[in-house]
Amino acid sequence: MITKKDLEHIAWLSRLELSEEDKEKYTPKLNSVLDYFGELDEVDTEGVEPTYHVLQLSNVFRDDEPGVPAVSLSQEEALANAPKKQDGFFKAPRMM
């Protein structure tokens, strides 16, 4: 059971500011969600295969076959809209 104090802590961790009205409104809603999870835990799932996807798909990728190579941009075309470039490369700010 989630108390109002628990909800305040969850909101603090989530960096959310909740009004007193929101706290009163969401505490019972969160408790009803947790109660529903409790009901789901009671369902007998013995012998039920795990479902990883709702559709029975095994591999949706196409075969990797050699073909016509993709058209690539030239270096000048690739750098045409770059805000900053240096020595034929994109120039980006230093990372720390």
Side-chain angles (χ1 to χ4, degrees):
M1 182 99 175
I2 289 185
T3 63
K4 189 174 166 185
K5 186 173 181 173
D6 294 331
L7 182 63
E8 289 171 352
H9 183 68
I10 292 167
W12 178 80
L13 291 172
S14 304
R15 294 184 176 21
L16 296 173
E17 288 186 31
L18 297 177
S19 67
E20 284 300 317
E21 180 183 319
D22 288 338
K23 292 174 193 174
E24 295 295 327
K25 182 170 124 181
Y26 290 121
T27 302
K29 287 185 178 188
L30 281 172
N31 281 318
S32 70
V33 169
L34 292 177
D35 289 341
Y36 185 68
F37 279 118
E39 288 179 35
L40 290 176
D41 285 339
E42 295 173 9
V43 174
D44 181 22
T45 57
E46 189 67 34
V48 176
E49 291 286 325
T51 304
Y52 300 107
H53 198 281
V54 293
L55 301 175
Q56 294 298 321
L57 300 175
S58 57
N59 186 357
V60 296
F61 301 113
R62 65 173 171 76
D63 291 334
D64 191 14
E65 299 174 356
V68 179
V71 179
S72 298
L73 297 175
S74 68
Q75 187 174 16
E76 293 79 29
E77 291 172 322
L79 293 171
N81 293 323
K84 293 183 182 178
K85 45 194 160 196
Q86 179 179 357
D87 300 325
F89 298 99
F90 292 103
K91 183 170 169 90
R94 287 186 176 171
M95 295 295 188
M96 294 185 157

